[in-house]
Amino acid sequence: MGIRHIALFRWITGTTPEQVEEVEEALSRLPGLIPQLRGYAYGADLGIGSGNYHFAVVADVASEADFLAYRDHPEHQAALRVIRPLLADRAAVQFNTLEG
Amino acid sequence: MGIRHIALFRWITGTTPEQVEEVEEALSRLPGLIPQLRGYAYGADLGIGSGNYHFAVVADVASEADFLAYRDHPEHQAALRVIRPLLADRAAVQFNTLEG
């Protein structure tokens, strides 16, 4: 069993590709810095579905304690400081997965 | 490369655990019926984060064509007929992943 954390973001109007790249750059550092992360995937929406959010982050961890360690980790908090000013909307779920 | 499809749901007030079980039961059939699905995970939010959505579905496929095959598959459409009447909100993203 494990836990999958998902966060979907809708950016504010006027968010630039360069700002999204900064988000991706900040997130790209986290798997190497946060040992609790078993799996980490993120990226911009591909434009296939209408009305979609703009970006997704998926973190796979082993337990609630590991999720909280990720959530509260200084490097994750630093990434959130890049993300928060760009947020129009955020939708999140943490659920149990069979993997791990 | 592959594509990860994510859909997060917020249920309408009064949705019962039995109705959520019906959703899970309908989704549980899909990996066995839709060959384009490389990975499939779903489940109810664990209540760790405040303001979270209630449920998540994550589908991993190889290509946009495979995503569309999943999206339009009669069994997926049948599952959506179980889900739609319960929906207060839906947030979705499809993004590129390195896996696969």
Side-chain angles (χ1 to χ4, degrees):
Chain A
M1 291 279 286
I3 289 179
R4 173 162 285 176
H5 158 69
I6 297 175
L8 304 186
F9 308 138
R10 202 196 297 273
W11 304 128
I12 56 176
T13 306
T15 298
T16 67
E18 292 73 24
Q19 287 173 311
V20 177
E21 268 168 39
E22 274 178 52
V23 170
E24 289 177 324
E25 207 277 319
L27 296 175
S28 66
R29 291 197 298 267
L30 302 188
L33 296 167
I34 305 178
Q36 289 84 359
L37 288 174
R38 289 176 152 186
Y40 205 61
Y42 52 87
D45 182 65
L46 294 168
I48 303 171
S50 64
N52 276 11
Y53 271 46
H54 298 133
F55 199 90
V57 177
V58 182
D60 290 316
V61 293
S63 64
E64 181 171 341
D66 282 4
F67 168 66
L68 297 176
Y70 159 73
R71 187 193 64 182
D72 302 334
H73 194 287
E75 287 295 332
H76 178 243
Q77 291 298 318
L80 290 181
R81 283 193 293 277
V82 177
I83 291 168
R84 280 203 189 99
L86 306 176
L87 279 183
D89 255 321
R90 176 181 180 275
V93 166
Q94 293 87 39
F95 68 104
N96 281 325
T97 58
L98 302 179
E99 284 101 41
Chain B
M1 290 279 283
I3 289 178
R4 174 164 285 177
H5 159 68
I6 297 176
L8 303 186
F9 307 139
R10 201 195 297 274
W11 304 128
I12 55 175
T13 306
T15 299
T16 66
E18 293 72 25
Q19 287 173 312
V20 177
E21 267 167 40
E22 273 177 54
V23 170
E24 290 176 325
E25 206 278 320
L27 296 175
S28 67
R29 290 197 298 266
L30 301 188
L33 297 167
I34 305 178
Q36 288 83 0
L37 287 174
R38 289 177 152 185
Y40 204 62
Y42 53 87
D45 182 63
L46 294 168
I48 304 170
S50 65
N52 275 12
Y53 273 46
H54 298 132
F55 199 90
V57 177
V58 182
D60 291 316
V61 292
S63 64
E64 181 170 341
D66 281 4
F67 168 66
L68 298 176
Y70 159 72
R71 187 194 64 185
D72 301 335
H73 193 287
E75 288 295 332
H76 179 243
Q77 292 298 318
L80 290 181
R81 283 194 292 276
V82 176
I83 292 167
R84 280 203 190 99
L86 306 176
L87 279 183
D89 256 321
R90 176 181 180 276
V93 166
Q94 293 88 38
F95 68 105
N96 282 324
T97 58
L98 302 177
E99 286 101 41

